Amino acid sequence: KPNERFLNRKGTLFLEQACNRFFGGVVDVWIRKHKKMPQHITYSEKYYDDEYEYRHVTLPKDLADTIPKDRLLTEAEWRRLGVQQSRGWVHYAIHRPEPHILLFRREIGKYN
C-alpha cells in the first residue's frame, strides 16, 4: 500500500499524475506495460569517431508503440522509460526500422 500522503482523494498517486501531465500520457502506458512484463533493457558497447562516443540501447519491443516516432526523446523521457546512463548522453537519431532501439551519443572528453 502506498504512503497515504502521496495519494489524492481518488486514491491515485500525485507523482504519477504530474508525470503524465508533463510527459503527455507516456507514463500511463509505461506503467501499464511494466506491471505485466519484466524490464529488459540492453546496452551496447561504446563505439567512437573523432568527435563523439556512441552507443545504442535496446528496449523491449513491446515499448516501441510508446516511443514518439516523430521526434527525439529528451533526457527526462528516456530516463522515465528506464534507460540508465551517465551524464551527457543525447538521443540523437531515430532508427525507423526498429524504433525500440535508441541511438545515443556524447562528446568525447567532455564528461569523462
Side-chain angles (χ1 to χ4, degrees), residues 13-61:
L13 295 173
F14 283 125
L15 182 59
E16 186 177 321
Q17 288 178 335
C19 288
N20 274 321
R21 274 190 228 117
F22 186 76
F23 293 113
V26 171
V27 175
D28 265 345
V29 174
W30 185 86
I31 289 171
R32 273 186 263 129
K33 287 193 177 279
H34 281 77
K35 285 182 179 177
K36 297 176 190 171
M37 67 176 220
Q39 189 171 2
H40 297 288
I41 296 175
T42 59
Y43 300 83
S44 74
E45 293 294 321
K46 296 175 191 172
Y47 41 101
Y48 304 85
D49 67 12
D50 293 339
E51 204 172 330
Y52 293 99
E53 59 184 328
Y54 301 88
R55 82 166 0 149
H56 58 271
V57 176
T58 305
L59 301 173
K61 287 185 180 183

Side-chain angles (χ1 to χ4, degrees), residues 75-86:
E75 182 175 348
E77 289 172 320
W78 55 258
R79 287 194 186 279
R80 179 68 50 197
L81 289 171
V83 176
Q84 297 178 0
Q85 303 185 94
S86 54

Side-chain angles (χ1 to χ4, degrees), residues 33 37 59-66 100:
K33 287 193 177 279
M37 67 176 220
L59 301 173
K61 287 185 180 183
D62 292 352
L63 284 180
D65 59 340
T66 66
H100 65 286

